[in-house]
Amino acid sequence: MKILVVDDEDLLVKGIRFNLQNDGYEVITGSNGLEAVAAVQAQNPDLVILDVMMPEMDGLEACNKIREFSNVPIILLTAKTDDMDVLMGFENGADDYLTKPFNILELKARVRALLRRSGAQNGGNQEQNLLTVGNITLDLNGRNAFRSGTPVELTAKEFDVVEFLMRNPNRVYSREALLDTIWAYEYRSDIRTVDVHIRRLREKLEDNPAEPKHIMTKWGVGYYFRK
């Protein structure tokens, strides 16, 4: 599997590359957002590790541009811990984030978890397994989503959220429960990230996001998928 690491701190990039290569991954690198976008287009990595603060083009803008043509899992590296900075990362399509300085073992754990959830570690010869409710269909093996037969690009975490809700229709989950289930130990920020992902899912999967038919809110309680 191929991982793209992009950061303008050369020593940090070398350290990450060394550790990931020791785990058997192919690693390609870059030093700014422009290089990140070009590398995703040209080399189709299975996962991207992307710094936020970089020259030429910052990581948030690069993440947003990558999302225009790819749903590759993206981990943002940030020196900022403010909740709004984290939410901006998710708004621009990131799947996870890690605050500098970080433990390399934690980064490797998140890489494995995202690759597993994105399906990159699974073979492609399994029989297609579909989950359909209304006009929304999930291809569970290929981790592809469709609305009325039209492909819809979801990030790895967006797919995890909607798959979980569709597998448990009409059951209401609080934001805390969704964080515990979908993000588990990997995520340590406020619960507003759930709201961000729900809104993005409605924009992508509902015919009218303002009046959703499936991805519903139980006011004061949480979210559920109406069957």
Side-chain angles (χ1 to χ4, degrees), residues 1 48 87 96 145 165 189 194 207:
M1 282 167 289
V48 177
L87 290 175
D96 203 354
L165 293 177
S189 189
V194 176
D207 292 331

Side-chain angles (χ1 to χ4, degrees), residues 11-24:
L11 288 177
L12 179 61
V13 171
K14 289 180 178 178
I16 294 174
R17 180 175 59 192
F18 174 79
N19 280 275
L20 292 178
Q21 286 177 335
N22 281 347
D23 283 356

Side-chain angles (χ1 to χ4, degrees), residues 1-46:
M1 282 167 289
K2 185 186 300 182
I3 297 177
L4 170 64
V5 180
V6 184
D7 196 305
D8 61 335
E9 297 181 44
D10 187 55
L11 288 177
L12 179 61
V13 171
K14 289 180 178 178
I16 294 174
R17 180 175 59 192
F18 174 79
N19 280 275
L20 292 178
Q21 286 177 335
N22 281 347
D23 283 356
Y25 297 109
E26 177 185 354
V27 180
I28 54 178
T29 63
S31 60
N32 61 64
L34 291 175
E35 292 180 1
V37 176
V40 174
Q41 289 176 319
Q43 304 200 49
N44 193 30
D46 297 297

Side-chain angles (χ1 to χ4, degrees), residues 5-14 16 30-32 49-55 58-59 75-82 85-86 96-104 106-107 110 188:
V5 180
V6 184
D7 196 305
D8 61 335
E9 297 181 44
D10 187 55
L11 288 177
L12 179 61
V13 171
K14 289 180 178 178
I16 294 174
S31 60
N32 61 64
I49 299 172
L50 188 63
D51 185 36
V52 171
M53 301 300 292
M54 293 187 295
D58 66 33
I75 299 175
L76 286 180
L77 302 180
T78 175
K80 299 180 179 181
T81 58
D82 185 79
D85 292 315
V86 174
D96 203 354
Y97 85 99
L98 200 57
T99 302
K100 296 179 179 179
F102 54 84
N103 187 308
I104 191 64
E106 183 175 6
L107 175 61
R110 296 189 186 209
R188 301 184 183 91

Side-chain angles (χ1 to χ4, degrees), residues 98-183:
L98 200 57
T99 302
K100 296 179 179 179
F102 54 84
N103 187 308
I104 191 64
L105 295 178
E106 183 175 6
L107 175 61
K108 292 199 291 185
R110 296 189 186 209
V111 165
R112 289 193 299 270
L114 270 182
L115 287 173
R116 182 174 63 250
R117 289 175 176 172
S118 70
Q121 292 182 326
N122 297 327
N125 296 322
Q126 299 177 354
E127 183 179 355
Q128 189 179 52
N129 186 12
L130 300 180
L131 175 62
T132 300
V133 179
N135 67 338
I136 299 174
T137 297
L138 301 182
D139 166 14
L140 301 179
N141 288 336
R143 290 180 64 85
N144 298 308
F146 303 86
R147 185 184 72 191
S148 300
T150 301
V152 177
E153 294 287 344
L154 300 182
T155 67
K157 279 293 192 296
E158 288 168 356
F159 193 97
D160 289 341
V161 172
V162 72
E163 178 188 356
F164 178 76
L165 293 177
M166 288 178 69
R167 285 184 180 275
N168 300 277
N170 300 324
R171 181 174 176 179
V172 181
Y173 291 91
S174 68
R175 291 179 292 179
E176 293 86 352
L178 289 171
L179 274 178
D180 289 342
T181 301
I182 305 300
W183 282 264

